[in-house]
Amino acid sequence: MKKAVLTRADVTSYALSQGMLTMAQSMLTVYFTMFMTDYLKIPALMIGTAMLAAKTIDFLVNLCAGPIVEKSSMKHGKYVSWLRILRFTLFIGLIILMTDTTWLIKSPLVRILIVCCGYCLFHGSMDFNITVRGALIPKMAGANMEDRRRLTARQTQAGAAATIISSAITLPIITWFAPKFGESAGYTITTVLYITGFFICCTWFIRRASRFDPPDPHAASRKTATIREMAHSIITNRQMIILVFIYTFFGIGNEIYNGVTAYYFSVVTGNFSMLTVALTCRSIVSFLASLCVPALGRKIGKKASLALGMGLSACSLLGIRAFALQNIWFMIICMCLAQSGTYIYRSFGVNYYLDCGEYGYYKTGVDNRTIAASVMNIPTKVGFAIGGALTGYGLAWAGYSGPDMAVTGAFVSRYMTLLGLIPGILMGISAVMAIICYKLTDQEAAFYAKANADRESQAQGEQRTMAGNN
């Protein structure tokens, strides 16, 4: 059967579906912690403990996602079949997370348990979604490294554009709905609107991706590596281990920073409306960065992009700790720089992990590239678990007790340490590791991908020859 050709519509559907999911997920990134403390009325210390438990479960699900997807065989294709299911579970899980249950449930313990269930449903689905989308890149682009980069770069740009829109309209939409349905209902309605947009775009992408992932009647009989073999392949892949640590430190810092940023505007400065200005400025600058930095990335390579981007984010957060109290616009500038730094390397996306997967396949002869894509989730989930717990514990340590609390100098000092210093140090560690420890170059990655493609082509030719002889 003739191989499907990657078209502009394929790239657009791939990028837009993830962009709309990014837009929906922004409700969690920006407002989730504050929604729990201020509307669900859950104590910060309880949030820290509950999120540690829920995110640990999420981490365990993440470890299983790759092997489960790799061994699966469903009638609509190995990966597309998963997307058909995940669009529903992502939809339901996000709505659970952003729904106020205080009118029905009086116990904060029961409310946080409901939040944990929604968290596991949404983020567990994200584990599979990221794995599947990463595995579809080689299916759609083949060994063409430029097509792989095009898919991830367009996805990054779509995510940046969606962030601009959500940053500019989210708080106004919430404010518009609040007098009619209540403040907390505004968050829920906005979430429903965003996740519905994702559902529609994901359905379109499923139709486009089906050409590259047709049903395989022989998939069930195909030999796959055991979990132990796959784990061993990852553990013995030194570059993969280094990459995981780099992203883990950065992810912990980023989770803390994102989790507490809204309090700078709502509590420390008492100017919550400026959050919309800050998020919009940040997203516009980030979108411009997403358009410009792919060219920079091609020039300096993935390794330098990783170090430069994480280093810029680290310096920006340290700047927040040092100077943001003096001027709210300095805070906004640092937010823009920190986010722009991530786009220096995010245009490569999952390709860092796919490169490590190609390296491991070349070295061992065991094809665990689908697992390599799912490894991308591990540092993200560890960052969510540790960073999410530290967010709750950090707010309790700083002395946050609710939106009506008295703001003291001690609270502000501790809060700024939580917002800027701790995340900045963690991100700085990531940048140093990217410079010193990560060794895989673009040239080597291209060589490994081509060699693996040639190996598979030769193996398929031998199988056809044997089938013809029989």
Side-chain angles (χ1 to χ4, degrees):
M1 184 170 63
K2 186 177 179 180
K3 185 182 184 300
V5 178
L6 186 69
T7 67
R8 180 178 296 179
D10 299 326
V11 176
T12 301
S13 66
Y14 183 86
L16 191 58
S17 58
Q18 186 62 27
M20 289 305 300
L21 183 56
T22 300
M23 189 170 180
Q25 198 174 5
S26 69
M27 297 299 296
L28 301 183
T29 304
V30 180
Y31 301 103
F32 182 49
T33 302
M34 191 172 65
F35 187 79
M36 286 191 290
T37 58
D38 295 5
Y39 295 102
L40 292 179
K41 306 297 182 184
I42 300 171
L45 200 60
M46 183 182 292
I47 290 173
T49 302
M51 287 297 98
L52 179 60
K55 293 176 181 185
T56 299
I57 295 172
D58 177 33
F59 173 73
L60 296 175
V61 172
N62 172 68
L63 294 180
C64 300
I68 291 174
V69 170
E70 180 66 20
K71 292 176 180 294
S72 66
S73 175
M74 292 183 275
K75 67 177 182 179
H76 295 292
K78 178 187 282 288
Y79 307 118
V80 170
S81 296
W82 281 100
L83 291 177
R84 292 167 67 94
I85 298 169
L86 294 171
R87 56 182 170 168
F88 289 99
T89 55
L90 287 165
F91 185 97
I92 296 169
L94 189 60
I95 293 174
I96 291 174
L97 287 173
M98 296 302 295
T99 298
D100 185 0
T101 56
T102 55
W103 64 275
L104 180 65
I105 300 170
K106 302 303 180 184
S107 170
L109 177 60
V110 176
R111 292 198 296 271
I112 194 63
L113 288 176
I114 293 174
V115 168
C116 289
C117 291
Y119 187 95
C120 291
L121 178 61
F122 180 80
H123 285 281
S125 299
M126 285 292 292
D127 296 337
F128 285 88
N129 181 65
I130 294 173
T131 298
V132 168
R133 288 177 62 87
L136 276 170
I137 290 178
K139 284 269 189 177
M140 298 174 71
N144 188 317
M145 302 302 284
E146 178 58 26
D147 279 348
R148 293 188 183 191
R149 187 206 61 79
R150 187 157 61 104
L151 283 166
T152 54
R154 290 294 180 271
Q155 174 179 273
T156 301
Q157 291 162 4
T163 302
I164 293 176
I165 298 171
S166 62
S167 298
I169 69 175
T170 297
L171 203 53
I173 292 176
I174 293 170
T175 304
W176 188 80
F177 279 118
K180 300 174 178 62
F181 302 100
E183 289 188 17
S184 62
Y187 289 88
T188 306
I189 295 170
T190 306
T191 300
V192 171
L193 293 175
Y194 289 173
I195 197 65
T196 299
F198 157 73
F199 189 94
I200 294 170
C201 292
C202 186
T203 301
W204 179 39
F205 173 57
I206 288 169
R207 292 175 181 172
R208 302 296 309 180
S210 296
R211 296 164 34 244
F212 300 94
D213 186 32
D216 185 355
H218 305 293
S221 60
R222 184 182 299 156
K223 185 182 183 299
T224 59
T226 66
I227 293 178
R228 180 177 179 180
E229 289 170 337
M230 288 184 284
H232 181 264
S233 177
I234 295 169
I235 292 171
T236 55
N237 189 331
R238 185 172 181 270
Q239 293 305 303
M240 183 71 81
I241 293 173
I242 292 170
L243 194 64
V244 166
F245 274 105
I246 289 171
Y247 272 92
T248 296
F249 281 112
F250 191 89
I252 294 171
N254 199 48
E255 181 71 8
I256 297 171
Y257 162 66
N258 284 326
V260 302
T261 297
Y263 296 93
Y264 172 88
F265 298 93
S266 64
V267 179
V268 175
T269 65
N271 195 351
F272 193 44
S273 62
M274 282 296 291
L275 178 60
T276 296
V277 176
L279 294 177
T280 303
C281 290
R282 183 176 72 175
S283 57
I284 290 173
V285 172
S286 298
F287 177 69
L288 295 175
S290 74
L291 297 177
C292 299
V293 296
L296 174 64
R298 286 194 297 271
K299 184 175 182 179
I300 68 175
K302 297 189 189 75
K303 173 184 167 68
S305 296
L306 191 64
L308 177 60
M310 291 184 172
L312 178 59
S313 297
C315 292
S316 300
L317 292 194
L318 293 175
I320 287 175
R321 176 61 184 90
F323 304 111
L325 278 179
Q326 282 72 43
N327 192 303
I328 196 170
W329 284 103
F330 186 85
M331 170 70 174
I332 294 173
I333 291 171
C334 287
M335 289 175 64
C336 292
L337 291 174
Q339 189 75 359
S340 297
T342 67
Y343 281 93
I344 295 176
Y345 62 87
R346 279 175 62 182
S347 62
F348 295 110
V350 72
N351 284 308
Y352 285 106
Y353 293 88
L354 293 177
D355 287 351
C356 290
E358 298 284 7
Y359 166 82
Y361 185 20
Y362 179 83
K363 292 292 186 180
T364 66
V366 179
D367 187 2
N368 286 320
R369 287 173 294 180
T370 298
I371 307 303
S374 71
V375 172
M376 183 176 182
N377 281 347
I378 293 178
T380 301
K381 299 307 177 179
V382 172
F384 282 172
I386 299 177
L390 290 177
T391 297
Y393 294 144
L395 287 171
W397 167 72
Y400 183 75
S401 58
D404 300 323
M405 63 170 288
V407 179
T408 65
F411 166 78
V412 171
S413 177
R414 289 190 173 190
Y415 168 78
M416 294 304 294
T417 297
L418 181 66
L419 174 66
L421 181 61
I422 295 174
I425 290 173
L426 291 168
M427 292 178 181
I429 292 172
S430 296
V432 171
M433 289 185 67
I435 295 171
I436 298 175
C437 303
Y438 187 69
K439 304 294 185 182
L440 196 56
T441 66
D442 290 3
Q443 293 77 14
E444 288 175 335
F447 169 78
Y448 296 138
K450 185 178 184 304
N452 291 333
D454 292 343
R455 173 193 292 172
E456 290 192 335
S457 178
Q458 180 180 353
Q460 291 172 359
E462 292 174 353
Q463 290 176 356
R464 286 194 294 269
T465 300
M466 293 177 61
N469 293 334
N470 293 332

Short mmCIF file of all heavy atoms in Angstrom, two decimals, residues 26-27 30-32 34-35 39 98 166-191 193-194 272 275-276 279:
data_model
loop_
_atom_site.label_atom_id
_atom_site.label_comp_id
_atom_site.label_asym_id
_atom_site.label_seq_id
_atom_site.Cartn_x
_atom_site.Cartn_y
_atom_site.Cartn_z
N SER A 26 -5.13 25.78 30.14
CA SER A 26 -4.72 27.03 30.78
C SER A 26 -5.58 27.34 32.00
O SER A 26 -5.14 28.04 32.92
CB SER A 26 -4.79 28.19 29.79
OG SER A 26 -6.14 28.49 29.45
N MET A 27 -6.80 26.81 32.04
CA MET A 27 -7.64 26.99 33.21
C MET A 27 -7.00 26.36 34.44
O MET A 27 -7.13 26.87 35.56
CB MET A 27 -9.03 26.39 32.97
CG MET A 27 -9.82 27.04 31.85
SD MET A 27 -10.16 28.79 32.14
CE MET A 27 -11.19 28.72 33.60
N VAL A 30 -3.30 28.40 35.27
CA VAL A 30 -3.37 29.73 35.86
C VAL A 30 -4.28 29.80 37.08
O VAL A 30 -3.94 30.41 38.09
CB VAL A 30 -3.84 30.75 34.80
CG1 VAL A 30 -3.93 32.15 35.40
CG2 VAL A 30 -2.91 30.74 33.59
N TYR A 31 -5.44 29.14 37.00
CA TYR A 31 -6.49 29.40 37.99
C TYR A 31 -6.78 28.24 38.95
O TYR A 31 -7.52 28.41 39.91
CB TYR A 31 -7.80 29.75 37.27
CG TYR A 31 -7.68 30.95 36.37
CD1 TYR A 31 -7.59 30.80 35.00
CD2 TYR A 31 -7.67 32.24 36.90
CE1 TYR A 31 -7.48 31.91 34.15
CE2 TYR A 31 -7.56 33.35 36.07
CZ TYR A 31 -7.47 33.17 34.70
OH TYR A 31 -7.36 34.27 33.88
N PHE A 32 -6.22 27.07 38.72
CA PHE A 32 -6.65 25.88 39.46
C PHE A 32 -6.37 25.98 40.95
O PHE A 32 -7.24 25.71 41.78
CB PHE A 32 -5.97 24.64 38.86
CG PHE A 32 -6.37 23.34 39.50
CD1 PHE A 32 -7.70 23.03 39.70
CD2 PHE A 32 -5.41 22.43 39.90
CE1 PHE A 32 -8.07 21.82 40.28
CE2 PHE A 32 -5.76 21.23 40.48
CZ PHE A 32 -7.10 20.93 40.67
N MET A 34 -5.85 28.62 42.83
CA MET A 34 -6.69 29.66 43.41
C MET A 34 -8.17 29.22 43.46
O MET A 34 -8.89 29.56 44.41
CB MET A 34 -6.57 30.95 42.62
CG MET A 34 -7.21 32.16 43.30
SD MET A 34 -6.84 33.70 42.44
CE MET A 34 -7.70 33.41 40.89
N PHE A 35 -8.61 28.46 42.46
CA PHE A 35 -9.98 27.96 42.46
C PHE A 35 -10.21 27.03 43.66
O PHE A 35 -11.25 27.08 44.31
CB PHE A 35 -10.26 27.20 41.15
CG PHE A 35 -11.69 26.78 40.96
CD1 PHE A 35 -12.65 27.68 40.52
CD2 PHE A 35 -12.07 25.47 41.21
CE1 PHE A 35 -13.96 27.29 40.34
CE2 PHE A 35 -13.39 25.07 41.04
CZ PHE A 35 -14.34 25.98 40.60
N TYR A 39 -12.53 29.15 46.11
CA TYR A 39 -13.91 28.80 45.77
C TYR A 39 -14.33 27.44 46.32
O TYR A 39 -15.44 27.28 46.82
CB TYR A 39 -14.11 28.84 44.25
CG TYR A 39 -13.95 30.22 43.69
CD1 TYR A 39 -12.78 30.60 43.04
CD2 TYR A 39 -14.95 31.18 43.85
CE1 TYR A 39 -12.60 31.88 42.55
CE2 TYR A 39 -14.79 32.47 43.36
CZ TYR A 39 -13.61 32.82 42.71
OH TYR A 39 -13.45 34.10 42.23
N MET A 98 -12.90 21.86 37.42
CA MET A 98 -13.24 23.29 37.50
C MET A 98 -14.73 23.48 37.82
O MET A 98 -15.34 24.45 37.35
CB MET A 98 -12.87 23.98 36.19
CG MET A 98 -11.39 23.99 35.89
SD MET A 98 -10.36 24.79 37.16
CE MET A 98 -10.93 26.49 37.04
N SER A 166 -6.60 32.84 25.07
CA SER A 166 -7.12 32.52 26.40
C SER A 166 -6.68 33.54 27.43
O SER A 166 -7.45 33.90 28.34
CB SER A 166 -6.67 31.12 26.82
OG SER A 166 -5.26 31.04 26.92
N SER A 167 -5.45 34.05 27.31
CA SER A 167 -4.97 35.05 28.26
C SER A 167 -5.79 36.33 28.18
O SER A 167 -6.07 36.97 29.21
CB SER A 167 -3.50 35.37 27.98
OG SER A 167 -2.69 34.23 28.15
N ALA A 168 -6.18 36.70 26.97
CA ALA A 168 -6.90 37.95 26.78
C ALA A 168 -8.37 37.86 27.14
O ALA A 168 -8.97 38.83 27.59
CB ALA A 168 -6.74 38.42 25.33
N ILE A 169 -8.98 36.68 26.94
CA ILE A 169 -10.43 36.60 27.07
C ILE A 169 -10.92 35.84 28.29
O ILE A 169 -12.08 35.97 28.67
CB ILE A 169 -11.07 35.98 25.80
CG1 ILE A 169 -10.70 34.48 25.68
CG2 ILE A 169 -10.65 36.74 24.56
CD1 ILE A 169 -11.39 33.77 24.53
N THR A 170 -10.05 35.04 28.94
CA THR A 170 -10.53 34.17 30.02
C THR A 170 -11.12 34.96 31.18
O THR A 170 -12.28 34.74 31.58
CB THR A 170 -9.40 33.26 30.53
OG1 THR A 170 -8.98 32.40 29.48
CG2 THR A 170 -9.89 32.41 31.70
N LEU A 171 -10.34 35.86 31.75
CA LEU A 171 -10.84 36.61 32.91
C LEU A 171 -12.04 37.49 32.55
O LEU A 171 -13.01 37.54 33.32
CB LEU A 171 -9.71 37.45 33.52
CG LEU A 171 -9.89 37.84 34.99
CD1 LEU A 171 -10.18 36.63 35.87
CD2 LEU A 171 -8.65 38.57 35.49
N PRO A 172 -12.05 38.17 31.38
CA PRO A 172 -13.26 38.90 31.00
C PRO A 172 -14.49 38.00 30.84
O PRO A 172 -15.60 38.39 31.22
CB PRO A 172 -12.88 39.55 29.66
CG PRO A 172 -11.40 39.72 29.75
CD PRO A 172 -10.91 38.52 30.51
N ILE A 173 -14.31 36.79 30.29
CA ILE A 173 -15.45 35.88 30.16
C ILE A 173 -15.96 35.47 31.54
O ILE A 173 -17.17 35.45 31.80
CB ILE A 173 -15.06 34.64 29.33
CG1 ILE A 173 -14.81 35.01 27.88
CG2 ILE A 173 -16.15 33.57 29.40
CD1 ILE A 173 -14.32 33.86 27.02
N ILE A 174 -15.01 35.11 32.42
CA ILE A 174 -15.40 34.72 33.78
C ILE A 174 -16.14 35.87 34.47
O ILE A 174 -17.18 35.66 35.10
CB ILE A 174 -14.14 34.33 34.58
CG1 ILE A 174 -13.53 33.03 34.03
CG2 ILE A 174 -14.48 34.15 36.07
CD1 ILE A 174 -12.17 32.71 34.61
N THR A 175 -15.62 37.07 34.32
CA THR A 175 -16.25 38.25 34.94
C THR A 175 -17.64 38.52 34.36
O THR A 175 -18.55 38.94 35.07
CB THR A 175 -15.35 39.48 34.75
OG1 THR A 175 -14.05 39.20 35.29
CG2 THR A 175 -15.92 40.69 35.46
N TRP A 176 -17.79 38.26 33.07
CA TRP A 176 -19.08 38.50 32.41
C TRP A 176 -20.14 37.51 32.90
O TRP A 176 -21.30 37.85 33.09
CB TRP A 176 -18.91 38.39 30.90
CG TRP A 176 -20.14 38.82 30.14
CD1 TRP A 176 -20.53 40.09 29.85
CD2 TRP A 176 -21.13 37.94 29.58
NE1 TRP A 176 -21.71 40.08 29.13
CE2 TRP A 176 -22.10 38.77 28.94
CE3 TRP A 176 -21.30 36.56 29.52
CZ2 TRP A 176 -23.21 38.27 28.28
CZ3 TRP A 176 -22.40 36.05 28.87
CH2 TRP A 176 -23.35 36.88 28.26
N PHE A 177 -19.73 36.26 33.09
CA PHE A 177 -20.68 35.24 33.54
C PHE A 177 -20.98 35.34 35.04
O PHE A 177 -22.03 34.88 35.50
CB PHE A 177 -20.15 33.84 33.24
CG PHE A 177 -20.37 33.39 31.82
CD1 PHE A 177 -19.30 33.10 30.99
CD2 PHE A 177 -21.66 33.24 31.32
CE1 PHE A 177 -19.50 32.68 29.69
CE2 PHE A 177 -21.87 32.83 30.01
CZ PHE A 177 -20.78 32.55 29.19
N ALA A 178 -20.03 35.89 35.81
CA ALA A 178 -20.15 35.89 37.28
C ALA A 178 -21.45 36.50 37.80
O ALA A 178 -22.12 35.90 38.65
CB ALA A 178 -18.94 36.56 37.90
N PRO A 179 -21.87 37.69 37.35
CA PRO A 179 -23.11 38.26 37.90
C PRO A 179 -24.36 37.44 37.58
O PRO A 179 -25.34 37.50 38.31
CB PRO A 179 -23.19 39.65 37.22
CG PRO A 179 -21.81 39.94 36.76
CD PRO A 179 -21.21 38.62 36.41
N LYS A 180 -24.30 36.68 36.51
CA LYS A 180 -25.47 35.91 36.07
C LYS A 180 -25.56 34.55 36.75
O LYS A 180 -26.65 34.07 37.07
CB LYS A 180 -25.43 35.73 34.55
CG LYS A 180 -25.42 37.05 33.77
CD LYS A 180 -25.22 36.78 32.28
CE LYS A 180 -25.27 38.08 31.46
NZ LYS A 180 -24.20 39.02 31.84
N PHE A 181 -24.40 33.90 36.94
CA PHE A 181 -24.41 32.53 37.43
C PHE A 181 -23.58 32.33 38.70
O PHE A 181 -23.56 31.23 39.25
CB PHE A 181 -23.89 31.59 36.34
CG PHE A 181 -24.65 31.65 35.06
CD1 PHE A 181 -24.16 32.38 33.99
CD2 PHE A 181 -25.87 31.00 34.92
CE1 PHE A 181 -24.87 32.46 32.79
CE2 PHE A 181 -26.58 31.07 33.73
CZ PHE A 181 -26.09 31.80 32.67
N GLY A 182 -22.87 33.36 39.17
CA GLY A 182 -21.99 33.23 40.32
C GLY A 182 -20.54 33.19 39.88
O GLY A 182 -20.22 32.74 38.77
N GLU A 183 -19.64 33.65 40.75
CA GLU A 183 -18.22 33.75 40.38
C GLU A 183 -17.62 32.41 40.00
O GLU A 183 -16.93 32.29 39.00
CB GLU A 183 -17.44 34.38 41.54
CG GLU A 183 -17.73 35.87 41.74
CD GLU A 183 -16.80 36.48 42.76
OE1 GLU A 183 -15.75 35.87 43.05
OE2 GLU A 183 -17.11 37.56 43.28
N SER A 184 -17.85 31.39 40.82
CA SER A 184 -17.24 30.09 40.53
C SER A 184 -17.81 29.48 39.25
O SER A 184 -17.10 28.80 38.51
CB SER A 184 -17.46 29.14 41.71
OG SER A 184 -18.84 28.90 41.93
N ALA A 185 -19.11 29.72 38.96
CA ALA A 185 -19.72 29.18 37.75
C ALA A 185 -19.08 29.77 36.50
O ALA A 185 -19.02 29.11 35.46
CB ALA A 185 -21.23 29.46 37.75
N GLY A 186 -18.57 31.00 36.60
CA GLY A 186 -17.88 31.60 35.46
C GLY A 186 -16.67 30.78 35.04
O GLY A 186 -16.42 30.61 33.83
N TYR A 187 -15.93 30.24 36.01
CA TYR A 187 -14.79 29.38 35.70
C TYR A 187 -15.25 28.10 35.01
O TYR A 187 -14.62 27.63 34.05
CB TYR A 187 -14.03 29.05 36.98
CG TYR A 187 -13.27 30.21 37.57
CD1 TYR A 187 -13.88 31.07 38.48
CD2 TYR A 187 -11.94 30.45 37.24
CE1 TYR A 187 -13.20 32.15 39.02
CE2 TYR A 187 -11.24 31.52 37.79
CZ TYR A 187 -11.88 32.37 38.68
OH TYR A 187 -11.20 33.43 39.22
N THR A 188 -16.33 27.51 35.50
CA THR A 188 -16.83 26.26 34.94
C THR A 188 -17.31 26.45 33.50
O THR A 188 -16.98 25.65 32.61
CB THR A 188 -17.98 25.70 35.80
OG1 THR A 188 -17.55 25.60 37.15
CG2 THR A 188 -18.41 24.34 35.30
N ILE A 189 -18.09 27.50 33.26
CA ILE A 189 -18.63 27.74 31.92
C ILE A 189 -17.50 28.00 30.93
O ILE A 189 -17.51 27.49 29.80
CB ILE A 189 -19.62 28.92 31.95
CG1 ILE A 189 -20.85 28.57 32.80
CG2 ILE A 189 -20.06 29.29 30.53
CD1 ILE A 189 -21.76 29.75 33.07
N THR A 190 -16.52 28.78 31.34
CA THR A 190 -15.37 29.06 30.46
C THR A 190 -14.63 27.77 30.14
O THR A 190 -14.21 27.55 28.99
CB THR A 190 -14.42 30.06 31.13
OG1 THR A 190 -15.15 31.23 31.50
CG2 THR A 190 -13.30 30.45 30.19
N THR A 191 -14.48 26.91 31.13
CA THR A 191 -13.82 25.62 30.91
C THR A 191 -14.58 24.79 29.89
O THR A 191 -13.97 24.17 29.00
CB THR A 191 -13.71 24.85 32.24
OG1 THR A 191 -12.94 25.62 33.17
CG2 THR A 191 -13.05 23.50 32.03
N LEU A 193 -16.52 25.81 27.48
CA LEU A 193 -16.34 26.39 26.15
C LEU A 193 -15.00 25.98 25.54
O LEU A 193 -14.92 25.59 24.37
CB LEU A 193 -16.44 27.91 26.24
CG LEU A 193 -17.81 28.50 26.60
CD1 LEU A 193 -17.71 30.01 26.78
CD2 LEU A 193 -18.85 28.15 25.55
N TYR A 194 -13.95 26.06 26.33
CA TYR A 194 -12.61 25.75 25.82
C TYR A 194 -12.46 24.26 25.48
O TYR A 194 -11.93 23.90 24.43
CB TYR A 194 -11.55 26.15 26.85
CG TYR A 194 -11.36 27.63 27.01
CD1 TYR A 194 -10.52 28.15 28.01
CD2 TYR A 194 -12.00 28.55 26.18
CE1 TYR A 194 -10.33 29.52 28.16
CE2 TYR A 194 -11.83 29.91 26.34
CZ TYR A 194 -11.00 30.39 27.33
OH TYR A 194 -10.82 31.74 27.49
N PHE A 272 -5.90 42.47 40.77
CA PHE A 272 -6.14 41.22 40.06
C PHE A 272 -6.41 41.45 38.58
O PHE A 272 -6.11 40.58 37.75
CB PHE A 272 -7.33 40.50 40.71
CG PHE A 272 -7.47 39.06 40.27
CD1 PHE A 272 -6.37 38.22 40.20
CD2 PHE A 272 -8.72 38.54 39.95
CE1 PHE A 272 -6.50 36.90 39.81
CE2 PHE A 272 -8.85 37.22 39.56
CZ PHE A 272 -7.74 36.40 39.49
N LEU A 275 -3.74 40.81 36.02
CA LEU A 275 -3.37 39.46 35.61
C LEU A 275 -3.71 39.24 34.13
O LEU A 275 -2.93 38.60 33.41
CB LEU A 275 -4.10 38.42 36.48
CG LEU A 275 -3.85 36.94 36.12
CD1 LEU A 275 -2.37 36.60 36.25
CD2 LEU A 275 -4.68 36.03 37.02
N THR A 276 -4.85 39.76 33.69
CA THR A 276 -5.21 39.63 32.27
C THR A 276 -4.18 40.33 31.39
O THR A 276 -3.75 39.80 30.36
CB THR A 276 -6.60 40.24 32.02
OG1 THR A 276 -7.57 39.49 32.74
CG2 THR A 276 -6.94 40.22 30.54
N LEU A 279 -0.90 38.18 31.47
CA LEU A 279 -1.00 36.94 30.69
C LEU A 279 -1.08 37.21 29.20
O LEU A 279 -0.51 36.48 28.39
CB LEU A 279 -2.23 36.15 31.14
CG LEU A 279 -2.21 35.61 32.58
CD1 LEU A 279 -3.51 34.91 32.91
CD2 LEU A 279 -1.02 34.67 32.79
#
